[in-house]
Amino acid sequence: MLEVEGLSVNYGAIRALRQVTFSIAKGEIVALIGANGAGKSTILNTISGIVPAAAGKINFLGKDLTKTPPHRIVELGICQVPEGRRVFARMSVQENLEMGAYTRTDSREVSRDLDAIYQRFPRLGERRKQPARTLSGGEQQMLAMGRALMARPKLLLLDEPSMGLAPMLVETIFGIIQEISKEGTTILLVEQNANMALGIADRGYVLETGEVVVQGPAAELAANPEVRKAYLGE
């Protein structure tokens, strides 16, 4: 579904990514793990068209996205749940979800999807008229995920979904990620909690200072002594 080849990204004189190559097949959950500053979020932002690539190619379903504007990338079927959630604070829960469907014109289907989001996230249904800023961190994470799902993405990019959440909520969010995957959405997951990420992923890539240093099936990465020592706290 997605092929990233030789991707390099610069922030001024700083090389954030160096010749990164990886792929995602339809239906997979692929995890990107690594320390802060390794380049994980930069990869997602470049796929989304927010950050320009200095070199390399991003192919999605056979189409080169490298110079495609962000709104067109959403229309093609890629949606990102950003780090820190980035909900529209003054808008209501429902307005935030409706913003997720801004590229769609099928109003009846949008209404059905809205009902489906409220079924998946009952707390959002209870708070549909509340401003998003009044929600807890976990509720805002659910809202950010629901907003992205309203675009009916083929590929969902998740950036640090567990950040700042209590352990019980982290388990809830990861359970929802697995449900979304089982329903047919392909997922690229960036996550500091490497144990959780590798626990639900099919495959993983480890990044260090902008380069892929280890890759393989998630179970193999979780069993790799070097990965365990560096990222799994052992």
Side-chain angles (χ1 to χ4, degrees), residues 11-173:
Y11 292 130
I14 298 167
R15 176 60 60 93
L17 296 177
R18 297 178 178 84
Q19 295 287 309
V20 168
T21 295
F22 68 95
S23 63
I24 306 172
K26 185 178 179 182
E28 281 192 309
I29 300 177
V30 172
L32 298 178
I33 63 171
N36 276 333
K40 305 184 301 296
S41 294
T42 298
I43 288 175
L44 298 195
N45 289 333
T46 309
I47 293 168
S48 293
I50 298 164
V51 172
K57 278 193 172 184
I58 301 167
N59 281 288
F60 178 65
L61 296 173
K63 179 178 174 57
D64 184 0
L65 298 187
T66 315
K67 299 191 183 302
T68 306
H71 71 277
R72 181 72 184 124
I73 290 171
V74 172
E75 289 171 357
L76 290 169
I78 298 178
C79 244
Q80 183 170 344
V81 179
E83 181 182 342
R85 302 179 265 282
R86 305 284 186 92
V87 296
F88 299 106
R90 295 184 182 182
M91 294 169 68
S92 70
V93 166
Q94 179 136 334
E95 287 167 338
N96 268 269
L97 293 173
E98 288 168 348
M99 284 295 286
Y102 82 98
T103 61
R104 296 173 57 185
T105 55
D106 50 338
S107 56
R108 190 172 294 176
E109 289 296 310
V110 167
S111 181
R112 280 184 194 153
D113 286 354
L114 200 53
D115 289 340
I117 294 297
Y118 288 140
Q119 284 181 352
R120 187 188 294 280
F121 303 106
R123 285 196 208 177
L124 298 184
E126 294 164 10
R127 292 157 172 73
R128 68 181 73 192
K129 293 184 178 178
Q130 286 182 217
R133 69 172 181 269
T134 65
L135 303 183
S136 70
E139 290 163 352
Q140 287 189 13
Q141 184 62 51
M142 292 173 191
L143 180 56
M145 291 170 70
R147 181 180 59 188
L149 291 173
M150 285 297 294
R152 285 196 174 173
K154 297 181 180 80
L155 173 63
L156 184 63
L157 311 179
L158 291 169
D159 197 353
E160 303 287 5
S162 78
M163 182 180 281
L165 301 184
M168 191 179 295
L169 265 177
V170 172
E171 289 197 12
T172 300
I173 292 295

Side-chain angles (χ1 to χ4, degrees), residues 201-216:
D202 298 292
R203 294 186 302 110
Y205 295 84
V206 179
L207 277 123
E208 281 182 14
T209 57
E211 296 180 76
V212 174
V213 292
V214 188
Q215 59 179 288

